[in-house]
């Protein structure tokens, strides 16, 4: 398939836009910038194995070697036939080499990833959130049932109840590792370490705005304080992540100075945070790639959704070499929130389903409804997978195709998520195939001529408003006996 677009690629070394050429298509561009060594997850092992780390030394953006191209070719040939969305057992409707779902001839570079589920930290910062201890325990238990690797809790320093809740959740019999999120301050770290958590996530504002108006520290002071706090946490035998705050409005040179210094201490992760949701996917890919080239530890990514790019940005971060993504149920958090768990699962499921099959995907709708009830909102209509209408089909063209082959308008099997498909019928956009489907469900035998006539009548009535199901059913039954 020919992609006629002209793509522009920004090199992270020179910091200038370079014309990638009118003949370089998307597949070629992805193949070039993703010709990277695979990254293992340093903190993905059993809960007790806190010191497990794998290093990544290959750069993310560089020319491909001939050996890499050969390896990519071997991996490509081993890709299962027909693995398009969830219709893995069927012949693909669109050949893989035409770019359906996969943008490259080589497999994507995301080989695994961890969820740091932050409903009990970032989610508490949502405007309408106030979780009771019992609700927190339920959220933690159900997310553990789902299979998230990490649970992140509000800093014990936030309030006496926050400290008590951290101790309570750290004491639950969970498979997930329990983390807490604190300022990069020794007093906060000491209190956090005493609660029984498995790890501590510390952060320090690195943008000029935060350095001026928040904590007033220089880059040298950030490195010195960060080094002291990270070493203290490590001395307690705990997992540690050091994150910059407002990473995408920070000077890249400042970021690299901080990250290189912290990486020499061998933490489990460093973190990048799009704290105000200002970054674009290209900017995320570029900055994560740059950090990936400069540190050996794992990389965590935290994306806010102020500009509507949180999921896309998190996916770009994973493509560039990040290993962990922060999520919350429904994406709740400060302001517009962060990456929703269901949306991140949907994004990965649509391109690399093997990455998410380790989770109890059928629990997603229940999890979103649970937290929606707790914070007093509805599950948004556009929530991936979990919204009431996620698998509803309405227009006549759509319903005909879906009835013939669900993959025409579905990239997921709703049953994987414990959902059912809904074919809507009693409205003015309906088609005779949808009417026929409803008739068959009622055990009625109608021919095409009858179904077409009924659809005309349904459209006439439905111009005044959708027909209740009982009215449509009465109409169908009446047609049989007429």
């Amino acid at each position: 398939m020919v992609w006629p677009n002209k793509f522009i690629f920004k090199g992270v070394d020179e910091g200038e836009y370079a014309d990638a050429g009118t003949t370089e298509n998307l597949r070629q561009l992805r193949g070039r910038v993703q010709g990277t060594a695979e990254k293992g997850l340093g903190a993905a092992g059993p809960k007790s194995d806190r010191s497990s780390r794998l290093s990544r030394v290959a750069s993310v953006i560089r020319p491909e070697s001939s050996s890499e191209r050969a390896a990519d070719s071997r991996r490509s040939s081993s890709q299962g036939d027909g693995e398009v969305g969830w219709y893995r057992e069927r012949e693909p409707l669109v050949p893989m080499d035409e770019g359906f779902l996969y943008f490259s001839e080589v497999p994507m570079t995301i080989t695994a990833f961890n969820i740091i589920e932050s409903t009990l930290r970032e989610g508490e910062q949502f405007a309408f959130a106030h979780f009771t201890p019992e609700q927190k325990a339920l959220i933690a238990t159900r997310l553990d049932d789902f299979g998230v690797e990490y649970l992140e809790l509000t800093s014990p320093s936030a309030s006496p109840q926050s400290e008590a809740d951290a101790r309570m959740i750290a004491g639950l019999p969970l498979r997930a590792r329990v983390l807490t999120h604190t300022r990069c301050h020794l007093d906060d770290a000491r209190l956090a370490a005493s609660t029984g958590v498995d790890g501590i996530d510390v952060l320090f504002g690195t943008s000029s705005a935060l350095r001026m108006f928040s904590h007033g520290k220089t880059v040298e002071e950030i490195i010195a304080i960060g080094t002291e706090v990270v070493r203290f946490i490590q001395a307690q035998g705990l997992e540690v992540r050091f994150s910059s705050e407002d990473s995408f409005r920070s000077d890249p040179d400042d970021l690299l100075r901080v990250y290189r210094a912290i990486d020499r201490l061998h933490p489990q992760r460093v973190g990048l945070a799009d704290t105000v949701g200002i970054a674009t996917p290209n900017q995320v890919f570029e900055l994560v790639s740059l950090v990936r080239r400069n540190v050996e530890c794992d990389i965590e990514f935290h994306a806010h959704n102020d500009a509507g790019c949180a999921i896309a940005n998190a996916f770009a971060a994973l493509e560039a070499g990040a290993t962990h993504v922060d999520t919350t149920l429904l994406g709740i958090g400060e302001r517009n929130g962060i990456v929703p768990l269901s949306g991140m699962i949907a994004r990965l499921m649509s391109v690399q389903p093997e990455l998410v099959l380790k989770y109890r995907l059928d629990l997603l709708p229940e999890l979103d409804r649970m937290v929606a009830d707790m914070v007093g909102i509805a599950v948004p209509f556009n929530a991936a997978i979990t919204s009431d209408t996620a698998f509803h089909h309405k227009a006549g063209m759509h319903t005909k195709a879906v009835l013939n082959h669900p993959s025409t308008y579905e990239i997921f099997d709703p049953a994987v998520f414990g959902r059912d498909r809904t074919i809507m019928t009693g409205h003015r956009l309906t088609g005779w195939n949808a009417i026929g489907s409803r008739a068959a469900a009622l055990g009625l035998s109608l021919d095409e001529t009858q179904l077409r006539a009924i659809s005309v009548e349904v459209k006439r009535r439905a111009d005044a408003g959708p027909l209740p199901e009982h009215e449509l059913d009465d109409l169908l039954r009446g047609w049989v006996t007429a």
Side-chain angles (χ1 to χ4, degrees), residues 404-439:
N404 285 329
H405 200 298
S407 67
T408 50
Y409 286 101
E410 287 178 355
I411 58 172
F412 307 125
D413 180 357
V416 171
F417 307 101
R419 303 295 307 275
D420 294 317
R421 179 180 305 110
T422 297
I423 302 296
M424 302 177 68
T425 51
H427 54 87
R428 62 188 174 192
L429 304 181
T430 195
W432 69 267
N433 290 277
I435 299 292
S437 174
R438 181 58 189 169

Side-chain angles (χ1 to χ4, degrees), residues 356-425:
V356 298
L357 295 179
K358 58 183 176 178
Y359 302 117
R360 281 283 308 279
L361 301 177
D362 59 305
L363 295 181
L364 269 177
E366 172 196 327
L367 288 168
D368 273 3
R369 287 193 301 269
M370 176 183 71
V371 166
D373 289 343
M374 289 179 180
V375 300
I377 63 174
V379 176
F381 82 93
N382 58 350
I385 297 168
T386 63
S387 79
D388 286 345
T389 60
F391 298 100
H392 279 51
H393 302 278
K394 184 175 180 179
M397 264 196 334
H398 288 238
T399 55
K400 175 185 177 181
V402 166
L403 288 167
N404 285 329
H405 200 298
S407 67
T408 50
Y409 286 101
E410 287 178 355
I411 58 172
F412 307 125
D413 180 357
V416 171
F417 307 101
R419 303 295 307 275
D420 294 317
R421 179 180 305 110
T422 297
I423 302 296
M424 302 177 68
T425 51

